[in-house]
Amino acid sequence: MTRTVGILGGGQLARMMVLAGAPQGLRFELFDPAADACAGQLAPLQVAAFDDEAALAAFAAKVDVVTFDFENVPAHSARFLAERVPVYPNPDALAVAQDRLSEKTLFRELGIPLPPFADIRSRDELAARVGEFGLPCILKTRRLGYDGKGQFRLRSEADIDAAWSALGTQVERTGLILEGFVAFDREVSVVAVRGRDGEFRAWPVTGNWHVVGVLSVSLAPAVLSPEQQAAAIGYARTLAERLDYVGVFALELFCRGNELLANEMAPRVHNSGHWTIEGSETSQFENHLRAVLGLPLGDTRMLGHACMLNWIGAMPDANAVLAQPGGHWHDYGKQPRDGRKVGHATLRGDDAAQLAADLEAVGTQLERAEQVAPAIKTLLG
């Protein structure tokens, strides 16, 4: 019997889910407010606001299960759908991950280490907490911010008024949170999956580099001690079990010496897991579909080493990547636009030296040597 998966959100993550589900004979229905959502090139797209209950009810009638490619879908919309069709991850897990204060409070309750944080409701409270946390620190919206949006870094006391001017008007709409700054050595993420039956699997921890708050390069496996790998995956398992989570998610962490500190959770397939398409036995997209459909989870073991390069704004020439033995190209079918994720490439190698050489060649040809340099340095020790 053919099953139909409904996806709230029709961006590149939905697009890659559709591609992963095609070999399994799955059908898809997409729901997105944007008529040009790029996954709509591959599957039927219903265009409506996320809070349009009549449209949501019609959508639910066409699918067997609903999932997300976008964490800012209103939780009440997910709950509305859950009354009509199975929804994974569950709406409560989605709601926690949408609110940085709720999320970090949960981390603390579960014993997951993290930087200091505080709910901010006024300019005076901001000033008091800045004095407590020390500088630098970061003021963020509790909701709706991603890829560096909705954030203001305070470097001096003079920035308090500027930060409040920039974000203070959002205190009623989204809430605000102040976070202590972490002088980290590197950023890593655990991409993991949990099935309907509670089975849990994780891919090797991934090392990440960002440019202006947007992921630029991901390298797997990250260079961590076995103890750190186990601790990071253990935190992800604890979180998934507490939330009764079903599907793929990512837990982002800061590394500072031997210490791991949680940053945030993404309740969906994740940019830092794109390398799994070619670099692991089962991709994050296939395993997400297996999880939400109640199928056995696939093996998450790596196939050598892998590095993902994000393309932001416009696609470069593909030849430099495709000329490499382990080069793979992904064009999301989006129109170029500053700051927009339009595609990615993955380079895979059987060993670290081979991958480093391929990355150097690609970086040189695309004039992105600086972008790939951290990954090459990590690979070569």
Side-chain angles (χ1 to χ4, degrees):
M1 176 180 174
T2 299
R3 286 186 280 185
T4 301
V5 178
I7 305 177
L8 288 176
Q12 67 268 15
L13 302 179
R15 181 186 180 100
M16 285 182 268
M17 276 190 250
V18 173
L19 290 169
Q24 300 179 45
L26 299 177
R27 293 180 180 173
F28 293 86
E29 293 282 340
L30 311 173
F31 191 107
D32 197 292
D36 64 346
C38 66
Q41 299 165 16
L42 305 181
L45 171 65
Q46 182 171 341
V47 180
F50 284 129
D51 60 357
D52 184 335
E53 292 190 350
L56 288 169
F59 178 68
K62 294 185 287 186
V63 303
D64 298 300
V65 66
V66 169
T67 189
F68 316 93
D69 94 327
F70 178 60
E71 64 261 53
N72 288 327
V73 172
H76 64 80
S77 299
R79 292 190 177 99
F80 177 86
L81 285 169
E83 295 173 356
R84 293 157 175 80
V85 65
V87 173
Y88 300 107
N90 67 70
D92 290 340
L94 180 68
V96 168
Q98 286 178 339
D99 183 341
R100 286 189 172 98
L101 182 64
S102 297
E103 175 186 73
K104 291 180 185 298
T105 300
L106 178 60
F107 291 166
R108 185 169 59 192
E109 290 175 359
L110 295 176
I112 300 173
L114 74 164
F117 66 93
D119 187 16
I120 299 297
R121 299 181 181 275
S122 69
R123 189 264 179 211
D124 289 345
E125 192 169 17
L126 173 61
R129 290 294 189 171
V130 168
E132 179 184 331
F133 290 1
L135 292 163
C137 52
I138 305 172
L139 183 66
K140 299 180 180 180
T141 57
R142 282 172 49 181
R143 300 175 182 273
L144 303 179
Y146 62 96
D147 285 345
K149 299 178 177 67
Q151 302 185 14
F152 193 106
R153 180 172 295 186
L154 294 88
R155 295 179 171 84
S156 70
E157 289 189 8
D159 288 333
I160 293 173
D161 285 331
W164 189 252
S165 295
L167 297 179
T169 57
Q170 299 296 311
V171 70
E172 296 298 330
R173 176 171 175 257
T174 66
L176 297 175
I177 184 172
L178 186 70
E179 299 177 6
F181 179 74
V182 178
F184 56 83
D185 302 317
R186 72 199 82 153
E187 295 176 271
V188 301
S189 57
V190 182
V191 180
V193 60
R194 185 172 181 269
R196 286 194 190 184
D197 61 357
E199 182 184 7
F200 176 89
R201 296 189 180 220
W203 287 267
V205 180
T206 300
N208 302 307
W209 291 269
H210 294 75
V211 175
V212 196
V214 180
L215 183 65
S216 175
V217 177
S218 288
L219 176 68
V223 178
L224 295 176
S225 69
E227 293 77 15
Q228 287 176 310
Q229 285 269 352
I233 292 171
Y235 296 150
R237 181 192 288 270
T238 298
L239 189 59
E241 291 175 352
R242 172 65 172 270
L243 293 171
D244 193 22
Y245 194 94
V246 173
V248 167
F249 68 99
L251 176 61
E252 300 177 14
L253 301 142
F254 299 121
C255 293
R256 185 173 62 189
N258 293 324
E259 189 178 22
L260 291 173
L261 299 171
N263 179 23
E264 62 186 25
M265 171 190 178
R268 52 170 171 78
V269 288
H270 195 253
N271 202 164
S272 70
H274 289 354
W275 63 265
T276 64
I277 298 173
E278 293 88 17
S280 71
E281 186 66 40
T282 312
S283 77
Q284 64 166 341
F285 300 99
E286 181 180 342
N287 254 345
H288 183 74
L289 294 170
R290 290 191 189 203
V292 302
L293 289 165
L295 300 172
L297 300 182
D299 197 332
T300 54
R301 68 184 179 91
M302 282 202 70
L303 307 175
H305 295 254
C307 187
M308 187 278 301
L309 308 176
N310 238 3
W311 306 136
I312 308 297
M315 297 293 293
D317 183 77
N319 288 344
V321 171
L322 297 179
Q324 308 308 316
H328 302 272
W329 193 254
H330 296 263
D331 185 329
Y332 303 154
K334 292 182 174 182
Q335 292 298 313
R337 189 174 70 206
D338 286 349
R340 192 181 205 186
K341 296 175 183 175
V342 293
H344 77 268
T346 298
L347 294 167
R348 198 201 66 78
D350 291 334
D351 56 54
Q354 177 192 340
L355 179 56
D358 292 349
L359 278 171
E360 184 174 18
V362 168
T364 300
Q365 292 179 57
L366 296 181
E367 298 183 350
R368 298 188 185 218
E370 185 175 339
Q371 180 184 20
V372 302
I376 294 172
K377 182 178 179 181
T378 300
L379 283 163
L380 298 179

